[in-house]
């Protein structure tokens, strides 16, 4: 399962106010080059943005609880 799916499931289990995963139109990850949506780009070339909604306390707890999923991302 992709990390984004695992994060969404964790957010649901922890009863956050909301969560969404979206594929971006352009961006980069780490030292890789910037990729933009085009006919040549595959879905795997583009970053995924995971948005989490909740109180500060909920989000801090989420990050602590899911540190293994978030590490290096």
């Amino acid at each position: 399962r992709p990390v984004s799916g695992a994060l969404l499931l964790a957010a649901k289990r922890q009863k956050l106010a909301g969560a969404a995963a979206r594929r971006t139109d352009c961006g980069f990850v780490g030292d890789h080059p910037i990729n933009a949506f085009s006919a040549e780009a595959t879905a795997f070339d583009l970053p995924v943005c995971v948005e989490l909604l909740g109180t500060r306390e909920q989000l801090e707890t989420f990050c602590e609880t899911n540190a293994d999923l978030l590490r290096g991302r």
Side-chain angles (χ1 to χ4, degrees), residues 23-28 34-47:
R23 193 152 307 277
T24 62
D25 291 334
C26 63
F28 70 95
I34 295 173
N35 286 308
F37 180 76
S38 69
E40 298 87 38
T42 67
F44 298 107
D45 293 331
L46 299 172

Side-chain angles (χ1 to χ4, degrees), residues 1 4-6 8 10-11 14 17-19 24 27 38 40 46 55 63 66 69 72:
R1 162 180 305 129
S4 57
L8 291 177
Q14 289 183 238
T24 62
S38 69
E40 298 87 38
L46 299 172
T55 65
C63 290
N66 296 285
L69 284 173

Side-chain angles (χ1 to χ4, degrees), residues 14 16 54-65:
Q14 289 183 238
L16 293 187
T55 65
R56 182 183 184 114
E57 182 179 307
Q58 286 175 316
L59 295 173
E60 287 175 349
T61 299
F62 181 89
C63 290
E64 291 168 6
T65 303

Side-chain angles (χ1 to χ4, degrees), residues 1-13 19-23 48-50 52 62 69:
R1 162 180 305 129
V3 173
S4 57
L7 289 170
L8 291 177
L9 287 173
K12 186 75 168 166
R13 279 194 309 269
R22 297 181 180 86
R23 193 152 307 277
V48 173
C49 177
V50 176
L52 303 171
F62 181 89
L69 284 173

